[in-house]
């Protein structure tokens, strides 16, 4: 697919194939999204173990996202500002710092 051809240089063939299988399953699923559900809705090559391997893989997300932005959102006159907040600590209680 065209969307996946943009990120092909970022991912190796194995991760690319797994991503395609998982994405197709996600678009056809209904109900809760779990690894078992993804494996049930995916076709050939989408075993539960394959889904586990994909989610355990190290994926260069910044490179992948930049490839998508460059090819689908970026015009030559645009100014882009990226910001992120990666909070992994839950914020509960009476005082949040």
């Amino acid at each position: 697919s065209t969307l996946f051809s943009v990120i092909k240089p970022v991912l190796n063939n194995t991760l690319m194939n797994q991503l395609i299988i998982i994405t197709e399953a996600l678009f056809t699923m209904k109900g809760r999204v779990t690894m078992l559900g993804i494996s049930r809705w995916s076709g050939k090559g989408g075993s539960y173990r394959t889904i586990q391997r994909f989610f355990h893989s190290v994926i260069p997300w910044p490179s992948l996202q930049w490839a998508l932005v460059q090819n689908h959102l970026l015009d030559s006159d645009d100014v882009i500002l990226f910001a992120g907040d990666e909070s992994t600590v839950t914020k509960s209680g009476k005082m949040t710092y």
Side-chain angles (χ1 to χ4, degrees):
S1 131
T2 307
L3 179 65
F4 290 123
S5 65
V6 170
I7 60 174
K8 190 168 177 79
V10 179
L11 299 177
N12 63 40
N13 287 337
T14 302
L15 281 175
M16 191 68 190
N17 292 334
Q18 291 171 343
L19 179 63
I20 291 170
I21 290 167
I22 290 169
T23 304
E24 288 174 353
L26 288 172
F27 282 131
T28 57
M29 285 180 73
K30 49 184 169 174
R32 290 186 57 192
V33 177
T34 62
M35 286 196 293
L36 183 59
I38 293 170
S39 68
R40 287 180 177 161
W41 281 88
S42 61
K44 184 180 177 188
S47 70
Y48 184 72
R49 184 69 183 123
T50 299
I51 307 302
Q52 282 181 318
R53 282 189 194 106
F54 177 81
F55 284 110
H56 194 266
S57 300
V58 176
I59 298 174
W61 289 109
S63 300
L64 191 139
Q65 291 169 345
W66 180 242
L68 290 171
V69 168
Q70 275 183 310
N71 287 283
H72 295 291
L73 301 175
L74 189 62
D75 289 332
S76 60
D77 298 333
D78 286 347
V79 175
I80 296 180
L81 175 65
F82 287 103
D85 178 15
E86 229 177 283
S87 298
T88 56
V89 178
T90 58
K91 296 180 173 105
S92 62
K94 294 183 180 180
M95 297 183 75
T96 303
Y97 299 96

